[in-house]
Amino acid sequence: MQDKVRVSERLYGWLGSGIVFRTLLVLNAFVVFGVIWASRNTMLSDGWSYLRLAEGILHGRYSMWWQLGPGYPDTFRTPGYPLLIAAFLKLTGSWKPVLVLQFLLYAASVQLSLLTVDRLGGGRAGRSLFLLLLLPMVNIPFYIAQLYTEIPVLAAIALAVYLMVCFPVWTWRVAVAIGLLLGFAFQCRPAFLLIPFVLVGTAWLVDRKPGLVRSQLLMLLVFCITVVPFGIWTKVNHGIFKVTPLEGAGSYMHLGYWSGKTPGYTDTYYLRNFNGDELLRFTPRDSVASNIRAYGKEWEGIKAQLDPLLTAQDSAMMALPTYKTHQQRTYNTKYTLLREQLLTRLALKHYWDDPWYTLKFKAYSAVRLWVVGIQVEEFRDASLGGKLGMLYATSSTGLELLLFIVLVPLAYARKVLSFRTTWPFLLFLAYCTIIHLPFTIQSRYTVPVRMLMIILMVMAVMGLWGRTTGAAIQKKG
């Protein structure tokens, strides 16, 4: 036992040394630059739609189809990220400086996470452990070089949580800052609409600090103010006050049901989403073809109700190719609202009528949101380097999730991790998982909160470490 304590002391001292911390910092920088270099010529599909919206803003129309003139107000995205891109286009004439900003935001997120670990009592050893656990997570810095919202939202959440840790009782300035940060996160990712309300509701249940209620209500007021302008824009352009886009939730819920029954199929009716051919199947192989036919038949029934609503403007838009720039087609308001209503109703009916499949598939989805998956056909056709890359992404994120599942509950059970000071971390992780369960599987959805997961793992390890090795290590700290 004494030998184990000595080894543990040496390891703790090693992690706590300045040279190890600086070395890990440099290694993380090398990984980030390597990932950016490897993905420098890749432009994922969503980036094109954000770019078209930004161009539309500069031409006075919030639309992916601004070049067709008025009459195509967007129905698909909130304006936070397109506004950011538009600002850089206006100032520099190019969208590429946005990627420089995202690199800086990623670096700021790492720094904020290190400061958070320090505030929670992790010390230099905890900060080194954070960098060590972050090192293999190449799936996070991958989005630095993409016109995607993951990195800006990651930075906003990192700062919001840091403020919560630093100020257990919020001043009015802190409340305003958190409201603005969560408002920005929502304007980039509409799925975060409910997080401020869930945050305050949970605080009232588990952490009733004197004087906090007024500050929390101020935070909610500021957040609500940030969402009102888009609601007014939607009212003016679509005749309905709605702070989220007209489409999205119902369509992704509908495809979220069918994706497990049609592996390897690419939707041709609406989202053009590829349904992953996962390692685990949730429908017999010989039923896939019939499921694809059933999906197509269902969509033909939907189209029969939607097509009479098409206008001449819709026809002009449909005549233009979208495959090169991956623009999402923007139909008229009545068409869009009815489609969303039909898809939502069908999705809920399918989930209700097929409970066993739903439970199995969504339990798997909860894991896959945190683990980068391997698509069977893509893996089969990949080169050796491609196969190794896929295996690495899956194994690294899978191991991270496994460590979290084992270490964090154990630390809470042994009372070496304080629920009172860390519940916001758990809340963000749980919210991000639950809110995305009905939709199609995308592990990128959890990128904005992955550093929170690593921070909790660090604090769990440090707490368990101190309990195991006793006072000797505590004196070393």
Side-chain angles (χ1 to χ4, degrees), residues 251-253 255-256 259 271 273 275 362 369 436-442 445:
S251 54
Y252 278 103
M253 284 176 62
L255 195 58
S259 59
L271 294 171
N273 194 80
N275 297 334
K362 294 309 170 183
L369 281 168
H436 291 108
L437 274 184
F439 306 145
T440 52
I441 298 172
Q442 297 276 355
Y445 290 155

Coordinates of all heavy atoms in Angstrom, one line a residue, residues 251-253 255-256 259 271 273 275 362 369 436-442 445:
S251 N -39.2 18.0 -38.8 CA -38.5 17.2 -39.9 C -37.4 16.3 -39.3 O -37.3 15.2 -39.7 CB -37.9 18.2 -40.9 OG -37.1 19.1 -40.3
Y252 N -36.6 16.8 -38.4 CA -35.5 16.0 -37.8 C -36.1 14.9 -36.9 O -35.5 13.9 -36.8 CB -34.5 16.9 -37.1 CG -33.5 17.6 -38.0 CD1 -33.7 18.9 -38.3 CD2 -32.5 16.8 -38.5 CE1 -32.8 19.5 -39.2 CE2 -31.6 17.4 -39.4 CZ -31.7 18.8 -39.7 OH -30.8 19.3 -40.6
M253 N -37.2 15.2 -36.2 CA -37.9 14.1 -35.5 C -38.4 13.0 -36.4 O -38.2 11.8 -36.1 CB -39.0 14.7 -34.7 CG -38.6 15.5 -33.4 SD -40.1 16.2 -32.6 CE -41.0 14.7 -32.2
L255 N -37.3 12.2 -39.5 CA -36.2 11.4 -40.0 C -35.5 10.7 -38.9 O -34.9 9.6 -39.1 CB -35.2 12.4 -40.7 CG -34.2 11.7 -41.6 CD1 -34.9 10.8 -42.7 CD2 -33.3 12.7 -42.3
G256 N -35.5 11.2 -37.7 CA -34.9 10.6 -36.5 C -35.6 9.3 -36.2 O -34.9 8.4 -35.6
S259 N -34.5 6.9 -39.6 CA -33.1 6.7 -39.9 C -32.6 5.3 -39.4 O -31.8 4.7 -40.0 CB -32.2 7.8 -39.2 OG -32.4 7.8 -37.8
L271 N -34.5 16.7 -46.5 CA -33.3 17.1 -45.9 C -32.0 16.6 -46.6 O -30.9 17.1 -46.3 CB -33.2 16.7 -44.4 CG -34.3 17.4 -43.5 CD1 -34.3 16.7 -42.2 CD2 -34.0 18.9 -43.4
N273 N -30.5 14.0 -46.0 CA -29.7 13.5 -45.0 C -29.3 12.0 -45.2 O -30.2 11.2 -45.6 CB -30.4 13.6 -43.6 CG -29.5 13.4 -42.4 OD1 -28.8 14.3 -42.0 ND2 -29.5 12.2 -41.9
N275 N -28.7 8.5 -43.8 CA -29.0 7.7 -42.6 C -27.8 6.7 -42.4 O -27.6 5.8 -43.2 CB -30.3 7.0 -42.8 CG -31.5 7.9 -42.9 OD1 -31.4 9.1 -42.4 ND2 -32.5 7.5 -43.5
K362 N -33.3 4.9 -29.4 CA -32.9 6.2 -28.7 C -31.9 6.0 -27.6 O -31.1 6.8 -27.3 CB -34.2 6.9 -28.2 CG -35.1 7.4 -29.4 CD -34.3 8.2 -30.4 CE -35.0 8.5 -31.7 NZ -34.2 9.2 -32.7
L369 N -24.5 10.1 -29.5 CA -24.3 11.5 -29.5 C -22.9 11.9 -28.9 O -22.4 13.0 -29.2 CB -25.4 12.1 -28.6 CG -26.8 12.3 -29.3 CD1 -27.8 12.7 -28.3 CD2 -26.7 13.4 -30.4
H436 N -31.6 16.4 -28.0 CA -31.2 15.9 -29.3 C -31.6 14.5 -29.6 O -31.5 14.0 -30.7 CB -29.7 16.1 -29.6 CG -29.3 17.5 -29.7 ND1 -28.5 18.1 -28.7 CD2 -29.4 18.4 -30.7 CE1 -28.2 19.3 -29.1 NE2 -28.8 19.6 -30.3
L437 N -32.2 13.8 -28.6 CA -32.5 12.4 -28.7 C -33.6 12.2 -29.8 O -33.5 11.2 -30.6 CB -33.0 11.8 -27.4 CG -32.0 11.3 -26.4 CD1 -32.7 10.7 -25.2 CD2 -31.1 10.3 -27.1
P438 N -34.6 13.0 -30.0 CA -35.6 12.7 -31.0 C -35.1 12.9 -32.4 O -35.8 12.4 -33.3 CB -36.7 13.7 -30.7 CG -36.5 14.2 -29.3 CD -35.0 14.2 -29.1
F439 N -34.0 13.5 -32.6 CA -33.5 13.9 -33.9 C -32.6 12.8 -34.5 O -32.3 11.8 -33.9 CB -32.8 15.3 -33.9 CG -33.7 16.3 -33.3 CD1 -33.1 17.3 -32.5 CD2 -35.0 16.3 -33.4 CE1 -33.8 18.3 -31.9 CE2 -35.8 17.3 -32.8 CZ -35.2 18.3 -32.1
T440 N -32.1 13.1 -35.7 CA -31.1 12.2 -36.3 C -29.8 12.2 -35.5 O -29.5 13.2 -34.8 CB -30.8 12.7 -37.7 OG1 -30.4 14.0 -37.7 CG2 -32.0 12.5 -38.6
I441 N -29.0 11.2 -35.6 CA -27.8 11.0 -34.8 C -26.7 11.9 -35.4 O -26.3 11.7 -36.5 CB -27.3 9.6 -34.7 CG1 -28.4 8.7 -34.0 CG2 -26.0 9.5 -34.0 CD1 -28.1 7.2 -34.1
Q442 N -26.2 12.8 -34.6 CA -25.1 13.7 -35.0 C -24.2 13.9 -33.8 O -24.6 14.6 -32.8 CB -25.5 15.0 -35.5 CG -26.4 15.0 -36.7 CD -25.6 14.9 -38.0 OE1 -24.3 15.0 -38.0 NE2 -26.2 14.7 -39.1
Y445 N -23.4 17.4 -32.2 CA -24.3 18.2 -31.4 C -23.8 18.4 -30.0 O -24.2 19.3 -29.3 CB -25.7 17.5 -31.3 CG -26.5 17.5 -32.6 CD1 -27.4 16.5 -32.8 CD2 -26.3 18.5 -33.5 CE1 -28.2 16.5 -34.0 CE2 -27.1 18.5 -34.7 CZ -28.0 17.5 -34.9 OH -28.8 17.5 -36.1

